[in-house]
Amino acid sequence: SIGANEPARNLLAYGPARLSIQGELSMDRERGQISPVYSVLYQAGNLRNIEHWLKDLTLEGIFLRIEKVKQLLVDLMPHVTEIELKGKNVLYREKGHWVPAHHLGSGHKSILAMIGDMLIRLFEAQPEVTEPQALKGIVLIDELESHLHPRWQREFPQKLSQTFPLVQFIATTHSVLPFLGAPEGSVFLKVSRDEKEGTTVERLDIDVANLLPNSLLTSPLFELDSILSKQNQDFSKLHTAD
């Protein structure tokens, strides 16, 4: 447990604009933008570069950890099947083509940047740990769905939980799809803000296991009063078949 005046250890936070990694800015600008929570507060947050870290491990001869981290990243990036360190370059096999990181799709870039930063910081804070699955921490992710295809928005929450079983993830989302992939035991909180009450947090005891997206959208989670298209003029013409 953490005392009232004791800072949380291994606490990381990521904002929605998580595409920039260390090495893309000057060193002076980077120094102020690579704290564990900078990117959740500022859009220009610069994340630690997993490619540099992997190359450093190569120099240190820690090849087992390199292979485990590479496989972990492949598991979390839906269309990347291999990662190779070739000389000074790191290449990714995305949909059958070998490309550098800056040629990856935005969804893959965001996963690489965030998970790479997370791995570096947690391993540095827990040097005795050798298995990624043994890392512990608390990770905040703002707008979990950012840059992700709808299919991966559904898969990503459970993948994160399975990949890092000892990490507690606290995520916000404006999308209904991550709820379809929420791991068992998830807690759902609704954050509201108004002039009178300020910011309030309400726990919603909703069993999402048997709810489809339309039901979730009209539930207290999202409170949509209608899910009909604005262009619909005739309710009888709605396509409701599978």
Side-chain angles (χ1 to χ4, degrees), residues 31-47:
R31 287 191 186 98
Q33 297 185 10
I34 56 175
S35 82
V37 297
Y38 188 96
S39 75
V40 79
L41 301 172
Y42 305 97
Q43 295 299 305
N46 215 30
L47 304 179

Side-chain angles (χ1 to χ4, degrees), residues 12-43:
L12 309 177
Y14 299 97
R18 41 187 179 264
L19 292 176
S20 297
I21 60 174
Q22 189 179 10
E24 297 177 352
L25 300 175
S26 68
M27 287 301 295
D28 286 341
R29 290 182 63 190
E30 281 184 356
R31 287 191 186 98
Q33 297 185 10
I34 56 175
S35 82
V37 297
Y38 188 96
S39 75
V40 79
L41 301 172
Y42 305 97
Q43 295 299 305

Side-chain angles (χ1 to χ4, degrees), residues 10-104:
N10 304 331
L11 172 65
L12 309 177
Y14 299 97
R18 41 187 179 264
L19 292 176
S20 297
I21 60 174
Q22 189 179 10
E24 297 177 352
L25 300 175
S26 68
M27 287 301 295
D28 286 341
R29 290 182 63 190
E30 281 184 356
R31 287 191 186 98
Q33 297 185 10
I34 56 175
S35 82
V37 297
Y38 188 96
S39 75
V40 79
L41 301 172
Y42 305 97
Q43 295 299 305
N46 215 30
L47 304 179
R48 301 280 295 277
N49 192 324
I50 190 66
E51 293 188 350
H52 293 173
W53 189 75
L54 286 172
K55 292 173 188 176
D56 288 343
L57 289 185
T58 301
L59 293 175
E60 295 173 16
I62 310 177
F63 297 108
L64 182 59
R65 181 177 286 185
I66 292 173
E67 291 306 313
K68 289 182 177 180
V69 168
K70 283 166 52 181
Q71 187 57 53
L72 183 153
L73 292 172
V74 166
D75 290 343
L76 289 176
M77 293 192 286
H79 298 297
V80 170
T81 55
E82 292 181 74
I83 299 175
E84 290 292 340
L85 278 69
K86 299 186 176 181
K88 296 183 179 180
N89 300 314
V90 179
L91 297 178
Y92 305 81
R93 190 171 179 84
E94 182 185 44
K95 297 183 178 180
H97 301 280
W98 287 102
V99 297
H102 62 276
H103 284 173
L104 291 170

Side-chain angles (χ1 to χ4, degrees), residues 16 33 44 51-52 54 59 85-86 89 103 107 123 126 131 141-144 188 192 195 215 234:
Q33 297 185 10
E51 293 188 350
H52 293 173
L54 286 172
L59 293 175
L85 278 69
K86 299 186 176 181
N89 300 314
H103 284 173
F123 270 126
Q126 300 160 76
E131 300 284 342
I141 305 175
D142 189 21
E143 298 189 27
L144 177 70
F188 305 110
S192 305
E195 186 174 349
S215 299
D234 186 347

Side-chain angles (χ1 to χ4, degrees), residues 160-201:
L160 282 178
S161 180
Q162 293 170 345
T163 304
F164 301 101
L166 301 182
V167 173
Q168 181 183 27
F169 290 96
I170 303 172
T172 71
T173 181
H174 289 103
S175 171
V176 69
L177 295 175
F179 289 90
L180 301 180
E184 188 175 355
S186 296
V187 173
F188 305 110
L189 304 173
K190 181 179 179 183
V191 180
S192 305
R193 181 185 299 172
D194 60 39
E195 186 174 349
K196 182 179 179 181
E197 299 292 334
T199 301
T200 59
V201 180

Side-chain angles (χ1 to χ4, degrees), residues 3 14 19 70 86 101 113 117 130 133 173 186 202 211 227 231:
Y14 299 97
L19 292 176
K70 283 166 52 181
K86 299 186 176 181
D117 181 275
T130 57
Q133 291 79 8
T173 181
S186 296
E202 176 188 5
L211 295 180
I227 56 172
Q231 298 184 34

